Every structure is written in C-alpha cells, then in structure tokens.
Amino acid sequence: MFPPHPQTPTAQTTTRRNAIAWMAAAASAGITSSRSWAQSADAATNFPQRPIRIVVPYAPGAINDVLARAMSERLQTLLGQPVVVENRAGGGAVIGTQAVASAPADGYTLLQVPAAHANNATLVAKLPYDSLRSFQFITLAARAPLLVVTGERMPARNLQELLDLARKRPNHYSYGSSGNGGAAHLAGEMLKQQASVELLHVPYKGAAPAMADLMGGQIDMTFATQTVAKAAIKAGRVRVLAVTSKTRWPGLPNVPTVAESGLPQYESVAWWGYAAPAGTPAAVVAKLNQAINGALDAPALRQTLETEGIEAIGSTPAEFAAYAQAEIATWGDVIRKSGIRIE
C-alpha cells in the first residue's frame, strides 16, 4: 500500500527540489555556454568566407578614406577575402554608424569609427543607437593631431601671443571650422574654455573653404589636419602655431603643443578605430583584432599614413572601448559647457 500523497511539501522536500532545479539549470547553462563558445571558435576558424565590408560614415575623398583604403588593401592579403570600403555619409556620421549598428553581428560588416562617434553621443539629441552598447569595439587604429594655423596677417607669432591678444579684445579674433559641432569647432571650444578667452566661431561647409578664407584674410585662425593644411604650409601662406596632441608631432618637431603653450590639460586629436555590431562572436573579434593590428604594423601602410600626418596605433578591444568611453566623457563636458546642440 502506497503512502498517502502529501498535501504540501515539507521544507526538506522543497529544498531538495530547488537544489535539483538549480543543478539542472546550471548544467544547461554550462552546456549552452560551451556550445556558444564552440560555435564562436568554429566561426573564427572558418572566418572569413565571403567579402568583408568596412563602412566609412563620410563621403569619399576625405582623410577618413586614406586609412580605409590602405587598410582594406592590407586586410585582403591577411584574411584572404575581398575587403570593400563603403562610404555612407550623412547626419554627421550618424547614418553610416546606424547602418553598422543594425547589421548582422557576424564580423562581415565593420565600422571605421571616427572621433565624431564620441562627440555625437552628446551632440545629437536622439541617436538611433547607443554609442557604447550597440558596438563591439575591435581596435583603436590611428590618430592625428590638428594644427593651430593662422594667416599671414596675424601679428601673433606663437599661441601665447594669440591668446593674449584675444583676452584684450574678446570676440574680435575669429576661427573657422568645417561646420557646427565638427572637430575644429570643438577644438576651438576647448581652447576657449581652458584659456578663458572669447573667439568668434565661423562655421564653413568643409575644412577646405575655411582654409581658403584663412589664406584670404577673412578669418584669423583655424584647426586643420595636416592633409588639409600641408599645401598652404608648403606655400608659406599660413603659420602653424601649435599642434593639439599631448606630445610634439614627428612631422613638425619644432612646433610646440598647445599643452606646452600654457594649457597643460589640452588635447584634441582626430582618431579612428574599428568596431562591429554588438554580439559579434568573441573569437571573430579576436581574429579581426589580430588582422587589423597586423595590417597597422606593415611598414608600407605606416608610411602611407605618415605622409598624411596620421599615426598608426593598434590596441586591444578593451583598450579601445575604454578610450571611446573616456572621449565621450571629455567631449560631453566641453559640449555641455559650450551649449552646442545638433538636432
């Protein structure tokens, strides 16, 4: 005769059942985790099996393309598959970035991440993606300083003199930029905040028109990459007062940094990295990191970048993620203090 079925379980029975359920769940999780890692490892072993796409969130022909084209050529050799550069401009880099954020997380669609990625986190009111969580960062690939350049008519012969003049005549001296919220605009805002000066911002539709007006005397200064400024520098039409990196730039060893010119905390550099959609298998990310860093080590690629004033770097995924987070914080502070906003 069977014992009567209990109406309510005892505490001991409940504990035992919970323990069994927990062990079953843990075993299942372990199997799932192992299977996920195995699938990730398999994906990396067979990766890539088709062309890879690098999305550059700007129009063709700018400094962003210099890195992208050089990288694609080298990666094709290292990975054994075509690597195609796709320019998807619009929205200050938002459109191309969104295209990657919503792409399959399989490693076949990569974003060439510009410095504007960090700025847009605060500049743009309603981003269609999360600047950190929507991406798996792969490597910080390269960086380049901006040059603080003035026209021939500027009486100041160094940055300290220019800042002294600006303090005596607030909003008299102007600086041009490639557009509202762009790198040159924010570099100027950081300079204003740290030096406690008032400069008049003049936005242009691109860096080239700003450089043309600088040479023509319509503005007093600008912040430009070496790519944009090198012809004017070579012709003696502009004067370089400082570089915006923390240390002196090898291509201009006699030009002091802004930090050396009395603003020790100042640093504003253009930078580029590579990222994939969030959820890309870790083993695929590791393989991409190894390939991209390997490409950056190639002497020919480094030489190509150096001629444009770009320094090849390379990092771990974690280092790049930390760098991006720090840049978002730094420029978020500058943007909020300046009141700049882009809808």
Side-chain angles (χ1 to χ4, degrees), residues 59-257:
I63 188 172
N64 304 282
D65 267 8
V66 174
L67 173 61
R69 306 291 170 181
M71 180 60 67
S72 67
E73 291 177 8
R74 185 64 185 162
L75 284 181
Q76 287 181 162
T77 301
L78 292 173
L79 294 174
Q81 288 286 347
V83 178
V84 181
V85 175
E86 178 182 330
N87 295 88
R88 297 196 65 172
V94 171
I95 290 176
T97 303
Q98 166 62 11
V100 176
S102 58
D106 54 14
Y108 288 95
T109 302
L110 307 180
L111 174 68
Q112 182 167 288
V113 188
H117 187 81
N119 307 336
N120 286 342
T122 306
L123 273 176
V124 183
K126 295 180 180 179
L127 279 177
Y129 53 81
D130 186 290
S131 299
L132 293 173
R133 294 190 183 92
S134 296
F135 301 93
Q136 170 57 61
F137 294 92
I138 299 171
T139 187
L140 177 62
R143 65 177 183 172
L146 298 175
L147 311 179
V148 183
V149 292
T150 62
E152 298 172 287
R153 302 176 188 177
M154 167 60 69
R157 290 297 182 268
N158 55 58
L159 184 58
Q160 295 100 318
E161 291 181 5
L162 188 152
L163 295 176
D164 286 342
L165 290 173
R167 291 187 184 102
K168 293 174 183 176
R169 305 183 70 179
N171 282 320
H172 174 77
Y173 294 98
S174 60
Y175 76 97
S177 78
S178 58
N180 189 43
H185 183 193
L186 296 181
E189 290 300 319
M190 178 180 274
L191 184 73
K192 288 166 56 178
Q193 291 173 16
Q194 293 192 12
S196 299
V197 298
E198 293 298 328
L199 300 168
L200 181 63
H201 173 230
V202 182
Y204 289 84
K205 293 183 178 180
M211 183 60 63
D213 269 10
L214 179 66
M215 292 188 288
Q218 282 75 39
I219 55 175
D220 298 302
M221 63 180 289
T222 191
F223 298 79
T225 63
Q226 182 177 308
T227 301
V228 171
K230 62 183 177 181
I233 295 171
K234 187 175 181 179
R237 299 290 304 279
V238 298
R239 185 182 304 117
V240 183
L241 300 188
V243 295
T244 60
S245 50
K246 274 286 190 181
T247 57
R248 293 199 181 196
W249 202 249
L252 297 166
N254 297 322
V255 176
T257 66

